[in-house]
Amino acid sequence: QVQLVESGGGLVQAGGSLRLSCAASGRTFSGKTVGWFRQAPGKEREFVAAISWGGSSTYSADSVKGRFTISRDNAKNTVYLQMNSLKPEDTAVYYCAAGIGGKYPNGYFAWGQGTQVTVSS
């Protein structure tokens, strides 16, 4: 079973940038789509972005289009989420997940523990 570990979260001012990483250990990401989700206090977990195994297909939520970019380096078993022009409403715990794909959590069977992103105004 693949284990996922996120890193790169932190506190940033509005307009700033962060890059999140999701590293796989145990089994690799082989053949799996990897997605990023986020969950703010009192809210449901929501889809952010996803990337196919080969990287040829990416899709993202309307709320982050033009600001967030997902990419992957299969040689390093790592997926990245570059977040630019951050807004206070981007504050949440960010999770990466591996699975079949899609915009809903039930499309993913392996999850990381999450990394906190806090954007101050």
Side-chain angles (χ1 to χ4, degrees):
Q1 186 174 351
V2 62
Q3 288 86 43
L4 307 178
V5 178
E6 303 97 334
S7 61
L11 173 64
V12 65
Q13 289 187 332
S17 299
L18 284 173
R19 187 177 80 157
L20 305 183
S21 298
C22 174
S25 62
R27 299 184 66 178
T28 67
F29 286 128
S30 180
K32 300 176 184 63
T33 292
V34 176
W36 285 95
F37 289 77
R38 65 187 182 186
Q39 188 166 18
K43 295 187 177 181
E44 292 187 353
R45 191 166 297 190
E46 66 171 353
F47 171 77
V48 176
I51 186 167
S52 61
W53 160 242
S56 61
S57 177
T58 63
Y59 43 102
S60 58
D62 289 343
S63 59
V64 306
K65 281 181 180 177
R67 300 189 298 123
F68 292 11
T69 302
I70 189 170
S71 62
R72 66 191 299 165
D73 184 338
N74 289 335
K76 296 182 178 179
N77 291 317
T78 302
V79 172
Y80 304 97
L81 184 69
Q82 178 66 45
M83 305 187 297
N84 299 327
S85 301
L86 283 161
K87 305 175 181 179
E89 51 263 44
D90 294 318
T91 295
V93 177
Y94 283 70
Y95 300 89
C96 68
I100 296 172
K103 298 182 178 182
Y104 301 96
N106 61 10
Y108 301 83
F109 56 79
W111 291 82
Q113 83 290 349
T115 185
Q116 176 70 46
V117 171
T118 302
V119 184
S120 63
S121 57

